[in-house]
mmCIF file of all heavy atoms in Angstrom:
data_model
loop_
_atom_site.group_PDB
_atom_site.id
_atom_site.type_symbol
_atom_site.label_atom_id
_atom_site.label_comp_id
_atom_site.label_asym_id
_atom_site.label_seq_id
_atom_site.Cartn_x
_atom_site.Cartn_y
_atom_site.Cartn_z
ATOM 1 N N ALA A 1 0.818 -1.216 0.000
ATOM 2 C CA ALA A 1 0.000 0.000 0.000
ATOM 3 C C ALA A 1 0.851 1.265 0.000
ATOM 4 O O ALA A 1 0.408 2.310 -0.481
ATOM 5 C CB ALA A 1 -0.944 -0.011 1.208
ATOM 6 N N LEU A 2 2.072 1.171 0.540
ATOM 7 C CA LEU A 2 2.955 2.336 0.609
ATOM 8 C C LEU A 2 4.137 2.215 -0.351
ATOM 9 O O LEU A 2 5.156 2.877 -0.159
ATOM 10 C CB LEU A 2 3.468 2.512 2.047
ATOM 11 C CG LEU A 2 2.391 2.772 3.100
ATOM 12 C CD1 LEU A 2 3.016 2.807 4.500
ATOM 13 C CD2 LEU A 2 1.658 4.073 2.819
ATOM 14 N N LYS A 3 3.978 1.369 -1.359
ATOM 15 C CA LYS A 3 5.082 1.154 -2.297
ATOM 16 C C LYS A 3 5.495 2.449 -2.994
ATOM 17 O O LYS A 3 6.677 2.648 -3.322
ATOM 18 C CB LYS A 3 4.678 0.114 -3.338
ATOM 19 C CG LYS A 3 5.801 -0.245 -4.302
ATOM 20 C CD LYS A 3 5.408 -1.376 -5.246
ATOM 21 C CE LYS A 3 6.585 -1.748 -6.160
ATOM 22 N NZ LYS A 3 6.245 -2.877 -7.060
ATOM 23 N N LYS A 4 4.565 3.350 -3.207
ATOM 24 C CA LYS A 4 4.868 4.622 -3.868
ATOM 25 C C LYS A 4 5.930 5.410 -3.109
ATOM 26 O O LYS A 4 6.741 6.121 -3.704
ATOM 27 C CB LYS A 4 3.584 5.445 -3.987
ATOM 28 C CG LYS A 4 3.785 6.839 -4.549
ATOM 29 C CD LYS A 4 2.476 7.602 -4.586
ATOM 30 C CE LYS A 4 2.698 9.039 -5.065
ATOM 31 N NZ LYS A 4 1.436 9.831 -5.070
ATOM 32 N N TYR A 5 5.931 5.262 -1.780
ATOM 33 C CA TYR A 5 6.855 6.038 -0.956
ATOM 34 C C TYR A 5 8.105 5.258 -0.564
ATOM 35 O O TYR A 5 9.208 5.805 -0.556
ATOM 36 C CB TYR A 5 6.135 6.521 0.314
ATOM 37 C CG TYR A 5 4.912 7.349 0.036
ATOM 38 C CD1 TYR A 5 3.638 6.798 0.155
ATOM 39 C CD2 TYR A 5 5.022 8.669 -0.368
ATOM 40 C CE1 TYR A 5 2.509 7.539 -0.106
ATOM 41 C CE2 TYR A 5 3.891 9.433 -0.643
ATOM 42 C CZ TYR A 5 2.635 8.867 -0.511
ATOM 43 O OH TYR A 5 1.525 9.609 -0.788
ATOM 44 N N PHE A 6 7.932 3.980 -0.216
ATOM 45 C CA PHE A 6 9.041 3.214 0.350
ATOM 46 C C PHE A 6 9.498 2.049 -0.524
ATOM 47 O O PHE A 6 10.431 1.335 -0.159
ATOM 48 C CB PHE A 6 8.655 2.692 1.735
ATOM 49 C CG PHE A 6 8.221 3.775 2.680
ATOM 50 C CD1 PHE A 6 6.930 3.805 3.191
ATOM 51 C CD2 PHE A 6 9.099 4.786 3.048
ATOM 52 C CE1 PHE A 6 6.520 4.807 4.050
ATOM 53 C CE2 PHE A 6 8.700 5.788 3.906
ATOM 54 C CZ PHE A 6 7.409 5.806 4.411
ATOM 55 N N GLY A 7 8.869 1.824 -1.656
ATOM 56 C CA GLY A 7 9.325 0.789 -2.579
ATOM 57 C C GLY A 7 8.959 -0.618 -2.213
ATOM 58 O O GLY A 7 9.393 -1.557 -2.890
ATOM 59 N N ALA A 8 8.171 -0.803 -1.129
ATOM 60 C CA ALA A 8 7.759 -2.144 -0.682
ATOM 61 C C ALA A 8 8.979 -3.061 -0.530
ATOM 62 O O ALA A 8 10.010 -2.639 -0.008
ATOM 63 C CB ALA A 8 6.722 -2.721 -1.633
ATOM 64 N N GLN A 9 8.865 -4.301 -1.009
ATOM 65 C CA GLN A 9 9.963 -5.251 -0.848
ATOM 66 C C GLN A 9 11.147 -4.949 -1.768
ATOM 67 O O GLN A 9 12.247 -5.460 -1.560
ATOM 68 C CB GLN A 9 9.470 -6.680 -1.113
ATOM 69 C CG GLN A 9 8.448 -7.178 -0.100
ATOM 70 C CD GLN A 9 8.975 -7.173 1.318
ATOM 71 O OE1 GLN A 9 10.124 -7.542 1.572
ATOM 72 N NE2 GLN A 9 8.145 -6.758 2.259
ATOM 73 N N ASP A 10 10.925 -4.130 -2.785
ATOM 74 C CA ASP A 10 12.023 -3.744 -3.673
ATOM 75 C C ASP A 10 12.921 -2.688 -3.039
ATOM 76 O O ASP A 10 14.068 -2.530 -3.451
ATOM 77 C CB ASP A 10 11.468 -3.216 -5.003
ATOM 78 C CG ASP A 10 10.733 -4.285 -5.791
ATOM 79 O OD1 ASP A 10 11.097 -5.469 -5.637
ATOM 80 O OD2 ASP A 10 9.798 -3.940 -6.536
ATOM 81 N N GLY A 11 12.390 -1.941 -2.088
ATOM 82 C CA GLY A 11 13.190 -0.930 -1.410
ATOM 83 C C GLY A 11 13.417 0.315 -2.249
ATOM 84 O O GLY A 11 12.750 0.548 -3.262
ATOM 85 N N LEU A 12 14.382 1.116 -1.812
ATOM 86 C CA LEU A 12 14.702 2.388 -2.459
ATOM 87 C C LEU A 12 16.172 2.411 -2.866
ATOM 88 O O LEU A 12 17.027 1.861 -2.172
ATOM 89 C CB LEU A 12 14.419 3.554 -1.514
ATOM 90 C CG LEU A 12 12.957 3.769 -1.093
ATOM 91 C CD1 LEU A 12 12.879 4.802 0.019
ATOM 92 C CD2 LEU A 12 12.096 4.176 -2.276
ATOM 93 N N THR A 13 16.443 3.064 -3.988
ATOM 94 C CA THR A 13 17.819 3.224 -4.459
ATOM 95 C C THR A 13 18.005 4.655 -4.968
ATOM 96 O O THR A 13 17.080 5.468 -4.925
ATOM 97 C CB THR A 13 18.136 2.226 -5.590
ATOM 98 O OG1 THR A 13 17.199 2.430 -6.662
ATOM 99 C CG2 THR A 13 18.034 0.785 -5.112
ATOM 100 N N SER A 14 19.209 4.939 -5.466
ATOM 101 C CA SER A 14 19.519 6.227 -6.111
ATOM 102 C C SER A 14 19.381 7.415 -5.157
ATOM 103 O O SER A 14 18.779 8.433 -5.496
ATOM 104 C CB SER A 14 18.610 6.442 -7.338
ATOM 105 O OG SER A 14 18.722 5.373 -8.249
ATOM 106 N N PHE A 15 19.937 7.278 -3.966
ATOM 107 C CA PHE A 15 19.893 8.390 -3.015
ATOM 108 C C PHE A 15 21.277 8.759 -2.475
ATOM 109 O O PHE A 15 21.397 9.679 -1.666
ATOM 110 C CB PHE A 15 18.984 8.031 -1.824
ATOM 111 C CG PHE A 15 19.341 6.726 -1.164
ATOM 112 C CD1 PHE A 15 20.367 6.648 -0.247
ATOM 113 C CD2 PHE A 15 18.645 5.580 -1.476
ATOM 114 C CE1 PHE A 15 20.707 5.450 0.348
ATOM 115 C CE2 PHE A 15 18.965 4.369 -0.873
ATOM 116 C CZ PHE A 15 20.002 4.304 0.037
ATOM 117 N N SER A 16 22.320 8.045 -2.869
ATOM 118 C CA SER A 16 23.633 8.229 -2.246
ATOM 119 C C SER A 16 24.596 9.080 -3.061
ATOM 120 O O SER A 16 25.789 9.120 -2.759
ATOM 121 C CB SER A 16 24.273 6.865 -1.976
ATOM 122 O OG SER A 16 24.385 6.126 -3.187
ATOM 123 N N ALA A 17 24.089 9.784 -4.083
ATOM 124 C CA ALA A 17 24.988 10.554 -4.952
ATOM 125 C C ALA A 17 25.726 11.647 -4.188
ATOM 126 O O ALA A 17 26.930 11.863 -4.394
ATOM 127 C CB ALA A 17 24.193 11.162 -6.107
ATOM 128 N N ASP A 18 25.024 12.351 -3.295
ATOM 129 C CA ASP A 18 25.665 13.431 -2.524
ATOM 130 C C ASP A 18 26.776 12.890 -1.634
ATOM 131 O O ASP A 18 27.817 13.536 -1.456
ATOM 132 C CB ASP A 18 24.625 14.158 -1.666
ATOM 133 C CG ASP A 18 23.688 15.021 -2.495
ATOM 134 O OD1 ASP A 18 23.990 15.221 -3.686
ATOM 135 O OD2 ASP A 18 22.669 15.485 -1.960
ATOM 136 N N PHE A 19 26.547 11.708 -1.061
ATOM 137 C CA PHE A 19 27.564 11.099 -0.197
ATOM 138 C C PHE A 19 28.778 10.676 -1.011
ATOM 139 O O PHE A 19 29.924 10.957 -0.638
ATOM 140 C CB PHE A 19 26.955 9.896 0.528
ATOM 141 C CG PHE A 19 27.937 9.126 1.377
ATOM 142 C CD1 PHE A 19 28.364 9.626 2.595
ATOM 143 C CD2 PHE A 19 28.430 7.901 0.946
ATOM 144 C CE1 PHE A 19 29.267 8.922 3.374
ATOM 145 C CE2 PHE A 19 29.335 7.192 1.715
ATOM 146 C CZ PHE A 19 29.756 7.704 2.934
ATOM 147 N N ARG A 20 28.543 10.026 -2.133
ATOM 148 C CA ARG A 20 29.652 9.539 -2.951
ATOM 149 C C ARG A 20 30.406 10.676 -3.639
ATOM 150 O O ARG A 20 31.569 10.518 -4.003
ATOM 151 C CB ARG A 20 29.131 8.538 -3.976
ATOM 152 C CG ARG A 20 28.603 7.260 -3.312
ATOM 153 C CD ARG A 20 28.280 6.169 -4.300
ATOM 154 N NE ARG A 20 27.920 4.937 -3.602
ATOM 155 C CZ ARG A 20 27.660 3.789 -4.201
ATOM 156 N NH1 ARG A 20 27.697 3.718 -5.527
ATOM 157 N NH2 ARG A 20 27.362 2.717 -3.496
ATOM 158 N N ALA A 21 29.748 11.823 -3.798
ATOM 159 C CA ALA A 21 30.429 12.969 -4.413
ATOM 160 C C ALA A 21 31.562 13.489 -3.535
ATOM 161 O O ALA A 21 32.483 14.147 -4.035
ATOM 162 C CB ALA A 21 29.423 14.078 -4.686
ATOM 163 N N LEU A 22 31.509 13.192 -2.248
ATOM 164 C CA LEU A 22 32.553 13.640 -1.313
ATOM 165 C C LEU A 22 33.676 12.618 -1.161
ATOM 166 O O LEU A 22 34.592 12.829 -0.356
ATOM 167 C CB LEU A 22 31.933 13.921 0.063
ATOM 168 C CG LEU A 22 30.877 15.036 0.127
ATOM 169 C CD1 LEU A 22 30.317 15.141 1.534
ATOM 170 C CD2 LEU A 22 31.469 16.370 -0.310
ATOM 171 N N ASN A 23 33.606 11.535 -1.908
ATOM 172 C CA ASN A 23 34.591 10.460 -1.788
ATOM 173 C C ASN A 23 36.003 10.967 -2.093
ATOM 174 O O ASN A 23 36.267 11.433 -3.206
ATOM 175 C CB ASN A 23 34.226 9.322 -2.753
ATOM 176 C CG ASN A 23 35.007 8.053 -2.480
ATOM 177 O OD1 ASN A 23 36.060 8.075 -1.845
ATOM 178 N ND2 ASN A 23 34.490 6.939 -2.962
ATOM 179 N N PRO A 24 36.922 10.877 -1.124
ATOM 180 C CA PRO A 24 38.286 11.355 -1.376
ATOM 181 C C PRO A 24 39.155 10.351 -2.135
ATOM 182 O O PRO A 24 40.257 10.688 -2.554
ATOM 183 C CB PRO A 24 38.834 11.570 0.038
ATOM 184 C CG PRO A 24 38.129 10.545 0.864
ATOM 185 C CD PRO A 24 36.748 10.424 0.266
ATOM 186 N N PHE A 25 38.655 9.128 -2.314
ATOM 187 C CA PHE A 25 39.447 8.086 -2.966
ATOM 188 C C PHE A 25 39.149 8.073 -4.467
ATOM 189 O O PHE A 25 37.995 8.137 -4.888
ATOM 190 C CB PHE A 25 39.137 6.715 -2.367
ATOM 191 C CG PHE A 25 39.382 6.635 -0.881
ATOM 192 C CD1 PHE A 25 38.322 6.546 0.004
ATOM 193 C CD2 PHE A 25 40.674 6.671 -0.371
ATOM 194 C CE1 PHE A 25 38.535 6.473 1.368
ATOM 195 C CE2 PHE A 25 40.903 6.605 0.990
ATOM 196 C CZ PHE A 25 39.827 6.520 1.861
ATOM 197 N N SER A 26 40.192 7.960 -5.244
ATOM 198 C CA SER A 26 40.048 7.937 -6.698
ATOM 199 C C SER A 26 40.016 6.514 -7.263
ATOM 200 O O SER A 26 39.741 6.320 -8.447
ATOM 201 C CB SER A 26 41.195 8.706 -7.357
ATOM 202 O OG SER A 26 42.449 8.149 -6.985
ATOM 203 N N GLY A 27 40.317 5.538 -6.428
ATOM 204 C CA GLY A 27 40.326 4.155 -6.873
ATOM 205 C C GLY A 27 40.278 3.217 -5.687
ATOM 206 O O GLY A 27 40.123 3.649 -4.530
ATOM 207 N N PRO A 28 40.391 1.906 -5.913
ATOM 208 C CA PRO A 28 40.376 0.932 -4.819
ATOM 209 C C PRO A 28 41.477 1.202 -3.797
ATOM 210 O O PRO A 28 42.535 1.739 -4.133
ATOM 211 C CB PRO A 28 40.596 -0.403 -5.529
ATOM 212 C CG PRO A 28 40.186 -0.156 -6.946
ATOM 213 C CD PRO A 28 40.526 1.267 -7.229
ATOM 214 N N VAL A 29 41.216 0.830 -2.545
ATOM 215 C CA VAL A 29 42.174 1.020 -1.459
ATOM 216 C C VAL A 29 42.686 -0.342 -1.016
ATOM 217 O O VAL A 29 41.899 -1.215 -0.649
ATOM 218 C CB VAL A 29 41.526 1.758 -0.274
ATOM 219 C CG1 VAL A 29 42.494 1.850 0.899
ATOM 220 C CG2 VAL A 29 41.072 3.143 -0.702
ATOM 221 N N ASP A 30 43.996 -0.526 -1.062
ATOM 222 C CA ASP A 30 44.623 -1.795 -0.680
ATOM 223 C C ASP A 30 45.621 -1.524 0.436
ATOM 224 O O ASP A 30 46.613 -0.826 0.246
ATOM 225 C CB ASP A 30 45.326 -2.419 -1.881
ATOM 226 C CG ASP A 30 45.808 -3.840 -1.592
ATOM 227 O OD1 ASP A 30 45.786 -4.240 -0.412
ATOM 228 O OD2 ASP A 30 46.203 -4.532 -2.541
ATOM 229 N N LEU A 31 45.318 -2.052 1.636
ATOM 230 C CA LEU A 31 46.194 -1.877 2.786
ATOM 231 C C LEU A 31 47.095 -3.082 3.010
ATOM 232 O O LEU A 31 47.735 -3.187 4.052
ATOM 233 C CB LEU A 31 45.357 -1.618 4.048
ATOM 234 C CG LEU A 31 44.438 -0.397 4.005
ATOM 235 C CD1 LEU A 31 43.681 -0.272 5.325
ATOM 236 C CD2 LEU A 31 45.225 0.878 3.722
ATOM 237 N N GLY A 32 47.141 -3.970 2.068
ATOM 238 C CA GLY A 32 47.964 -5.164 2.210
ATOM 239 C C GLY A 32 47.168 -6.352 2.703
ATOM 240 O O GLY A 32 46.992 -7.339 1.981
ATOM 241 N N PHE A 33 46.651 -6.258 3.910
ATOM 242 C CA PHE A 33 45.894 -7.374 4.468
ATOM 243 C C PHE A 33 44.394 -7.228 4.221
ATOM 244 O O PHE A 33 43.629 -8.175 4.397
ATOM 245 C CB PHE A 33 46.175 -7.521 5.970
ATOM 246 C CG PHE A 33 45.713 -6.345 6.796
ATOM 247 C CD1 PHE A 33 44.544 -6.416 7.523
ATOM 248 C CD2 PHE A 33 46.463 -5.172 6.851
ATOM 249 C CE1 PHE A 33 44.112 -5.341 8.284
ATOM 250 C CE2 PHE A 33 46.055 -4.104 7.618
ATOM 251 C CZ PHE A 33 44.866 -4.185 8.333
ATOM 252 N N VAL A 34 43.956 -6.028 3.820
ATOM 253 C CA VAL A 34 42.559 -5.807 3.448
ATOM 254 C C VAL A 34 42.520 -4.880 2.240
ATOM 255 O O VAL A 34 43.449 -4.095 2.017
ATOM 256 C CB VAL A 34 41.726 -5.191 4.592
ATOM 257 C CG1 VAL A 34 41.569 -6.151 5.746
ATOM 258 C CG2 VAL A 34 42.346 -3.881 5.068
ATOM 259 N N SER A 35 41.449 -4.970 1.487
ATOM 260 C CA SER A 35 41.273 -4.071 0.344
ATOM 261 C C SER A 35 39.790 -3.839 0.137
ATOM 262 O O SER A 35 38.964 -4.731 0.392
ATOM 263 C CB SER A 35 41.905 -4.657 -0.922
ATOM 264 O OG SER A 35 41.284 -5.877 -1.271
ATOM 265 N N TRP A 36 39.459 -2.623 -0.284
ATOM 266 C CA TRP A 36 38.073 -2.267 -0.545
ATOM 267 C C TRP A 36 37.975 -1.514 -1.864
ATOM 268 O O TRP A 36 38.933 -0.868 -2.301
ATOM 269 C CB TRP A 36 37.512 -1.378 0.572
ATOM 270 C CG TRP A 36 37.351 -2.055 1.882
ATOM 271 C CD1 TRP A 36 36.411 -2.978 2.228
ATOM 272 C CD2 TRP A 36 38.134 -1.847 3.065
ATOM 273 N NE1 TRP A 36 36.563 -3.373 3.536
ATOM 274 C CE2 TRP A 36 37.617 -2.684 4.079
ATOM 275 C CE3 TRP A 36 39.221 -1.030 3.369
ATOM 276 C CZ2 TRP A 36 38.145 -2.735 5.345
ATOM 277 C CZ3 TRP A 36 39.762 -1.080 4.643
ATOM 278 C CH2 TRP A 36 39.225 -1.918 5.620
ATOM 279 N N SER A 37 36.810 -1.554 -2.462
ATOM 280 C CA SER A 37 36.555 -0.734 -3.635
ATOM 281 C C SER A 37 36.511 0.730 -3.223
ATOM 282 O O SER A 37 36.471 1.061 -2.028
ATOM 283 C CB SER A 37 35.218 -1.137 -4.282
ATOM 284 O OG SER A 37 34.133 -0.811 -3.418
ATOM 285 N N LYS A 38 36.495 1.603 -4.189
ATOM 286 C CA LYS A 38 36.499 3.039 -3.907
ATOM 287 C C LYS A 38 35.313 3.444 -3.036
ATOM 288 O O LYS A 38 35.481 4.146 -2.031
ATOM 289 C CB LYS A 38 36.470 3.822 -5.228
ATOM 290 C CG LYS A 38 36.455 5.337 -5.062
ATOM 291 C CD LYS A 38 36.439 6.051 -6.396
ATOM 292 C CE LYS A 38 35.081 5.907 -7.065
ATOM 293 N NZ LYS A 38 34.963 6.767 -8.265
ATOM 294 N N ASP A 39 34.120 2.987 -3.392
ATOM 295 C CA ASP A 39 32.924 3.374 -2.642
ATOM 296 C C ASP A 39 32.909 2.747 -1.251
ATOM 297 O O ASP A 39 32.533 3.398 -0.265
ATOM 298 C CB ASP A 39 31.667 2.966 -3.422
ATOM 299 C CG ASP A 39 31.484 3.786 -4.690
ATOM 300 O OD1 ASP A 39 31.937 4.942 -4.725
ATOM 301 O OD2 ASP A 39 30.900 3.264 -5.661
ATOM 302 N N ASP A 40 33.298 1.470 -1.152
ATOM 303 C CA ASP A 40 33.337 0.814 0.154
ATOM 304 C C ASP A 40 34.369 1.469 1.073
ATOM 305 O O ASP A 40 34.134 1.612 2.288
ATOM 306 C CB ASP A 40 33.654 -0.674 0.001
ATOM 307 C CG ASP A 40 32.456 -1.472 -0.490
ATOM 308 O OD1 ASP A 40 31.338 -0.935 -0.473
ATOM 309 O OD2 ASP A 40 32.638 -2.632 -0.895
ATOM 310 N N ALA A 41 35.504 1.857 0.520
ATOM 311 C CA ALA A 41 36.539 2.508 1.326
ATOM 312 C C ALA A 41 36.032 3.818 1.907
ATOM 313 O O ALA A 41 36.344 4.166 3.061
ATOM 314 C CB ALA A 41 37.786 2.754 0.480
ATOM 315 N N TRP A 42 35.237 4.552 1.155
ATOM 316 C CA TRP A 42 34.680 5.817 1.646
ATOM 317 C C TRP A 42 33.668 5.558 2.761
ATOM 318 O O TRP A 42 33.639 6.267 3.776
ATOM 319 C CB TRP A 42 34.045 6.571 0.486
ATOM 320 C CG TRP A 42 33.307 7.831 0.805
ATOM 321 C CD1 TRP A 42 32.139 8.246 0.244
ATOM 322 C CD2 TRP A 42 33.677 8.872 1.718
ATOM 323 N NE1 TRP A 42 31.748 9.458 0.745
ATOM 324 C CE2 TRP A 42 32.690 9.873 1.669
ATOM 325 C CE3 TRP A 42 34.749 9.043 2.587
ATOM 326 C CZ2 TRP A 42 32.715 11.030 2.436
ATOM 327 C CZ3 TRP A 42 34.806 10.199 3.370
ATOM 328 C CH2 TRP A 42 33.800 11.180 3.293
ATOM 329 N N VAL A 43 32.842 4.514 2.601
ATOM 330 C CA VAL A 43 31.899 4.158 3.666
ATOM 331 C C VAL A 43 32.653 3.737 4.927
ATOM 332 O O VAL A 43 32.283 4.108 6.045
ATOM 333 C CB VAL A 43 30.953 3.033 3.202
ATOM 334 C CG1 VAL A 43 30.065 2.565 4.356
ATOM 335 C CG2 VAL A 43 30.088 3.502 2.042
#
């Protein structure tokens, strides 16, 4: 009934552009024993 607002079981996407725009990393981050993609490293 509220799918118009909250997307029901499909959920919501396309809201993180402002957050990712502040990402200081230009590529994947590798610390040797761990590594993350650019977006995961920023999170």
